[in-house]
Amino acid sequence: MSVPRFWRKIPQRYNLEGTHCETCGRYFYPPRNLCPDCRREGTIVNHTFKGVGKVVTYSVIRTASDQFSALTPYVLAIVELEEGPRLTAQLVCSPEEVTIGMPVKGVFRKIGAEGESGVIYYGTKFAPM
Amino acid sequence: MRDVAVIGIGCTKFGEWWDRSFRNLFVEAGVSAIEDANLAGEQIDAMYVGNMSAGRFIEQEHIGALIADYAGLASEHIPSTRVEAACASGGLAFREAVISVASGMSNIVVAAGVEKMTDVDTSLSTDALAGAADREWEGFAGATFPGLYAMIANDYIHRYGLTREQLAQVAVKNHYNGARNPIAQFQKEITLSTVTNSTMVADPLRLFDCSPITDGAAAVVVAPLEMAKKFTDTPIKVLATAQASDTIALHDRRDISTMDASVAAGNRAFKMAGLERKDIDFVEVHDCFTIAEICAIEDLGFCKKGEAGKFTEEGATALGGQIPVNTSGGLKSCGHPVGATGIKQVCEAVLQLRGEAGKRQVDGAEIGMTHNVGGTGATVAAHIFGRG
Ligand SMILES: [Zn+2]
């Protein structure tokens, strides 16, 4: 798969920048520019997350698409950030290490590349704390 | 609104059809549905075609027109529309057909579903299916479709103590039923150890927890109930059609192990039909993975949250049980040609209600339900049927 070009320009991926609704207090990552609770009444501002959270659930991916097949087996998880929102990310730990509820922190990593000499893109993975 | 009935059904055998084309498959299903309804092609007012990803699987778009053309209807210029909602594409195509007839805009409408998935390698099909989830925020991180359901399974196991054997029992039961269905891709029974010893795909889901990559097509014909008797002695009445949506990404759900769209679509369907859970004689649920069937029977209200494992283990969902689930063999044993599955479920409901389901017949079945999920639950279609 080739990734849409604009993705590499999304700074939110690199440093966990999301959004915050000042009207109701909810935090969003991935970022949203419309609050699902307040909708047009919501005031959305940018927010940089601390990058700490815990594992809600996980799996160990053993069959992947070409783009990720060299990484298998890798640990994929849903992480709940301290501020509330949840996101899907890889964990940089062994399959034996991961448990539900495990505290993790965000780390800047290469996520994948388009083919062998293609464009590299980066993002956030999570490591055990 | 007018009452609507299903007057004809047709389905190809599901499987790996390397020697047959996409158009060849849907023509077979469509022709058998039209023959079953004793119709002539020119009597058709409209078509809705469920298809998830022909653009990725066979590099063909514009499926609505292609199907009308190869069904021999180009000269009739009937409206033909593709409906896409990932694995719920078929269920939504059926719902659009029912709405079209109920509204009075059309009389005779064909709802079809088709997918040709084996023309690409596993890596590409894995990638195409991952498009049913959030490509930007799940796929980007390396989420595969089995991987997302595996995260549901681990959450469920952690919170409700589901055992490996209970999960495997879903597959064993569905293969037992599929062994009695001539259109199923896998027509052989399996044991618990077949599942628990199969290759790990995404922990804790093994190969036999997953529905396969499949080619196939299915079609049904719907008409106003008042006209149905002109075509068939056994019209099957559509008692309810419901649809619901939810967040595209699994991580944004209120509860990872509950598909709120299933809960909503189920509640809407029961309300529309004026029926209760105990009135349902059998249900076809979306078991793309064994854990999906566990969640589905709870979300639709056939047993309490957290109890579906025990419910399955005790045989409540087997043929002859309290509520037979996936008498067709489900996606697990029939195969899962994604766009066709929702229509195949309707075909099974009609066969059961006509009393034509052979060795898997539910005795005296009068009311049946279907449940078709797109992605990890971002779209759900639910339908209830009764004898006309
Ligand atoms: Zn808000």
Side-chain angles (χ1 to χ4, degrees), chain A residues 21 23-26 28 35 37-39 42:
Chain A
C21 175
T23 311
C24 69
R26 274 181 77 180
F28 303 105
C35 173
D37 289 337
C38 309
R39 303 202 179 93

Side-chain angles (χ1 to χ4, degrees), chain A:
Chain A
M1 176 197 92
S2 77
V3 165
R5 303 282 157 190
F6 78 94
W7 282 11
R8 286 177 287 111
K9 297 197 173 161
I10 298 178
Q12 288 93 330
R13 290 191 188 285
Y14 306 151
N15 41 23
L16 286 177
E17 273 178 30
T19 51
H20 171 55
C21 175
E22 289 185 329
T23 311
C24 69
R26 274 181 77 180
Y27 290 90
F28 303 105
Y29 189 90
R32 288 178 185 263
N33 45 26
L34 184 71
C35 173
D37 289 337
C38 309
R39 303 202 179 93
R40 280 180 302 150
E41 267 75 59
T43 306
I44 299 285
V45 297
N46 289 334
H47 176 83
T48 302
F49 289 92
K50 282 185 281 181
V52 291
K54 61 171 196 219
V55 173
V56 175
T57 185
Y58 68 94
S59 178
V60 182
I61 310 294
R62 303 192 184 256
T63 305
S65 62
D66 275 349
Q67 197 197 334
F68 294 100
S69 57
L71 292 174
T72 57
Y74 58 88
V75 184
L76 185 79
I78 290 179
V79 171
E80 183 173 299
L81 297 172
E82 215 173 71
E83 296 90 337
R86 292 174 172 186
L87 59 107
T88 301
Q90 285 179 42
L91 300 186
V92 286
C93 70
S94 72
E96 293 74 37
E97 229 178 315
V98 57
T99 55
I100 289 177
M102 181 173 86
V104 289
K105 63 171 189 298
V107 289
F108 180 76
R109 285 286 189 284
K110 173 184 166 181
I111 300 290
E114 274 176 39
E116 281 186 13
S117 54
V119 188
I120 294 173
Y121 31 90
Y122 298 90
T124 306
K125 293 188 182 183
F126 284 80
M129 277 167 76

Side-chain angles (χ1 to χ4, degrees), chain B residues 35 57 72 93 113 192 197 221 256 262 322 326 359 367 377 388:
Chain B
E35 280 177 359
F57 289 123
L192 284 176
N197 292 327
V221 185
I256 303 281
S262 289
Q322 185 184 326
N326 285 328
K359 288 177 182 166
I367 310 275

Side-chain angles (χ1 to χ4, degrees), chain B residues 30-344:
Chain B
V31 166
S32 51
I34 290 166
E35 280 177 359
D36 188 44
N38 296 305
L39 277 180
E42 61 271 15
Q43 292 172 276
I44 297 169
D45 293 323
M47 292 177 75
Y48 290 91
V49 182
N51 174 261
M52 172 181 167
S53 210
R56 298 294 305 280
F57 289 123
I58 60 162
E59 300 195 358
Q60 175 72 57
E61 308 288 12
H62 210 172
I63 300 306
L66 174 75
I67 288 201
D69 182 3
Y70 275 76
L73 297 170
S75 58
E76 301 295 328
H77 310 297
I78 65 158
S80 179
T81 307
R82 173 182 175 174
V83 178
E84 191 279 312
C87 331
S89 299
L92 263 53
F94 178 74
R95 180 172 148 80
E96 290 305 317
V98 171
I99 290 170
S100 175
V101 173
S103 75
M105 282 290 281
S106 317
N107 285 324
I108 310 293
V109 180
V110 172
V114 55
E115 210 79 47
K116 185 82 173 70
M117 301 171 73
T118 64
D119 293 324
V120 297
D121 64 28
T122 307
S123 170
L124 208 161
S125 55
T126 300
D127 190 59
L129 291 170
D134 187 338
R135 175 67 78 180
E136 257 188 62
W137 296 100
E138 293 179 311
F140 181 89
T144 60
F145 204 49
L148 292 166
Y149 273 90
M151 292 201 291
I152 296 175
N154 270 337
D155 178 66
Y156 190 100
I157 289 166
H158 181 73
R159 290 163 61 196
Y160 302 109
L162 179 79
T163 69
R164 179 57 264 190
E165 286 67 32
Q166 288 169 336
L167 195 56
Q169 194 61 51
V170 172
V172 172
K173 186 257 301 169
N174 289 351
H175 275 260
Y176 178 90
N177 296 349
R180 284 145 186 81
N181 186 353
I183 68 119
Q185 182 169 5
F186 301 125
Q187 295 176 29
K188 67 172 199 284
E189 294 178 27
I190 57 167
T191 62
L192 284 176
S193 65
T194 317
V195 186
T196 55
N197 292 327
S198 61
T199 314
M200 191 70 92
V201 175
D203 308 38
L205 300 181
R206 293 175 179 272
L207 190 62
F208 273 79
D209 288 298
C210 309
S211 56
I213 298 291
T214 310
D215 304 326
V220 300
V221 185
V222 295
L225 184 63
E226 65 203 25
M227 284 174 62
K229 286 276 185 191
K230 281 198 282 182
F231 298 98
T232 175
D233 295 332
T234 53
I236 300 303
K237 192 175 171 186
V238 182
L239 300 175
T241 173
Q243 180 185 339
S245 59
D246 202 347
T247 63
I248 184 80
L250 181 64
H251 56 232
D252 284 329
R253 301 282 161 75
R254 179 188 62 80
D255 177 342
I256 303 281
S257 295
T258 303
M259 290 184 190
D260 283 342
S262 289
V263 177
N267 286 341
R268 287 169 191 171
F270 282 107
K271 191 175 173 205
M272 184 172 179
L275 292 170
E276 294 173 44
R277 272 69 181 172
K278 64 172 171 53
D279 298 322
I280 304 293
D281 295 317
F282 65 90
V283 60
E284 288 285 299
V285 305
H286 198 90
D287 60 321
C288 49
F289 300 93
T290 47
I291 186 63
E293 178 167 317
I294 294 288
C295 293
I297 56 185
E298 293 174 355
D299 295 345
L300 295 174
F302 293 111
C303 70
K304 284 203 197 101
K305 194 75 214 166
E307 293 183 1
K310 194 162 155 269
F311 196 63
T312 302
E313 194 173 38
E314 290 170 352
T317 60
L319 280 172
Q322 185 184 326
I323 170 82
V325 177
N326 285 328
T327 57
S328 71
L331 288 52
K332 179 68 200 76
S333 169
C334 285
H336 182 27
V338 281
T341 286
I343 303 290
K344 181 221 76 183

